[in-house]
Amino acid sequence: MSLGTGIVLFVIGAILAFAVHVQVAWVSLTVVGYILMVAGAVGIILGIVLITTRRRQTVVQHDYVDPASGERVRRSTTDRPGDPYV
């Protein structure tokens, strides 16, 4: 669930909980609104956590011996989990 989806769920839940005054016999729209607001808040929190963890970088260094020259070679790779452009 993304940050935008959480915000949309929260807004729809708030509208159902506080602005709609329609009585339906088989469901309470106020309770449905509160449930959507809780789900939206969880989605917002998860979206923020996912955004902050994407910015972490992992640097891995490997030492190799070049078979042709016998020289020691150090390779460094940077990995950004969740970043589609790397």
Side-chain angles (χ1 to χ4, degrees):
M1 182 182 301
S2 68
L3 187 62
T5 306
I7 293 171
V8 168
L9 283 177
F10 192 85
V11 168
I12 291 173
I15 290 170
L16 285 176
F18 303 121
V20 175
H21 300 291
V22 177
Q23 296 292 328
V24 181
W26 50 276
V27 68
S28 173
L29 293 180
T30 304
V31 173
V32 171
Y34 286 132
I35 291 171
L36 287 176
M37 286 173 59
V38 169
V42 169
I44 292 169
I45 292 169
L46 284 176
I48 291 172
V49 167
L50 289 175
I51 287 172
T52 58
T53 57
R54 266 189 223 163
R55 301 195 188 269
R56 294 184 187 164
Q57 293 183 359
T58 305
V59 177
V60 180
Q61 292 184 346
H62 297 285
D63 289 334
Y64 297 104
V65 176
D66 187 12
S69 65
E71 293 181 12
R72 201 170 263 255
V73 178
R74 175 169 281 188
R75 289 191 183 181
S76 179
T77 59
T78 303
D79 182 31
R80 298 175 86 184
D83 193 359
Y85 301 109
V86 174

